[in-house]
Amino acid sequence: MPALLRPALSALVVACLLSAASLASSGPALAQAKQQASPAQAAPTQAAPAQTPTLKQVALTDKQLDGVLAAQKDMDAITEKLPENTAPDQKVIAQLDGVAKKHGFASYDDYDNVVDNVSLVLGGFDPSTKKYVGTEAVLKTQIAQVQADKKMPAKDKKEAIDELNQALKTPAPAVENKGNIDLVGKYYDKLVAALGDDQN
């Protein structure tokens, strides 16, 4: 998806794509990809996953969200240096584990699981109202916005609509811990700034 679409799709697509991408793969290689990929790069990956590993949903806490926010700059500093589409080596994994532990997580995998849970919830927030409406409603709104965009080139519009329609066909799992919705809502702006802006 070209840079033209980023403003139109904004934080919503980032959250949806993070959520779907987190379910399409697991482990440190995915986390690196999530840190480096733009929404355009993430969309084809999550649009047609070969297998969808089950996300381990957890009840999020304020402490975990504070840890994610505090760790983000350090995580980005490590992952920015990695070549694209390359799994991190043991040295990088050790660095990621160190950052995660520094910010209150048992390991990098623990940190990554919390980020995946946050992303799952963020994918259901309408960025204009900052209210949770569910992923399907958000995607339908985004499709309507892209269709109504008169300035977007036809090719780009078709590509964006195809990607969003594919995302509708591969829905994220339902949020099991309903308390996560209120908690992520409380941190919404900070989370989108930390997790979303780094994707562009």
Side-chain angles (χ1 to χ4, degrees):
M1 192 179 315
L4 263 179
L5 300 180
R6 288 192 186 122
L9 301 180
S10 69
L12 160 74
V13 171
V14 172
C16 290
L17 296 176
L18 283 172
S19 173
S22 70
L23 300 174
S25 298
S26 61
L30 166 68
Q32 179 224 344
K34 284 196 300 190
Q35 295 299 322
Q36 292 182 355
S38 71
Q41 294 166 323
T45 304
Q46 50 85 23
Q51 288 184 325
T52 304
T54 304
L55 169 66
K56 179 184 174 195
Q57 293 196 38
V58 296
L60 298 171
T61 66
D62 285 289
K63 182 179 177 185
Q64 288 172 320
L65 296 188
D66 288 336
V68 165
L69 293 169
Q72 200 58 43
K73 284 184 184 177
D74 293 340
M75 292 292 184
D76 288 345
I78 295 168
T79 59
E80 284 173 351
K81 298 174 187 173
L82 298 175
E84 286 190 42
N85 302 321
T86 304
D89 60 26
Q90 291 303 315
K91 180 182 174 186
V92 172
I93 292 170
Q95 291 174 329
L96 293 170
D97 268 335
V99 170
K101 289 176 182 176
K102 174 183 166 185
H103 294 285
F105 297 95
S107 66
Y108 178 71
D109 287 339
D110 181 35
Y111 163 86
D112 193 44
N113 191 59
V114 169
V115 170
D116 289 346
N117 275 268
V118 168
S119 297
L120 175 66
V121 177
L122 279 175
F125 271 83
D126 179 335
S128 60
T129 64
K130 299 180 185 179
K131 302 286 183 202
Y132 186 84
V133 295
T135 305
E136 183 177 339
V138 171
L139 288 169
K140 287 179 179 179
T141 298
Q142 292 301 314
I143 289 169
Q145 288 175 346
V146 171
Q147 289 172 332
D149 189 338
K150 303 294 184 202
K151 295 179 181 178
M152 186 181 297
K155 180 183 175 192
D156 295 342
K157 186 180 286 195
K158 181 186 181 320
E159 181 182 319
I161 291 171
D162 288 348
E163 289 175 6
L164 290 166
N165 279 322
Q166 187 61 40
L168 275 175
K169 293 176 187 174
T170 55
V175 176
E176 293 173 4
N177 300 289
K178 301 302 181 194
N180 288 356
I181 295 170
D182 291 336
L183 189 61
V184 168
K186 175 178 162 185
Y187 287 83
Y188 179 84
D189 291 326
K190 291 179 182 179
L191 289 167
V192 168
L195 301 175
D197 287 350
D198 294 335
Q199 302 302 311
N200 293 330

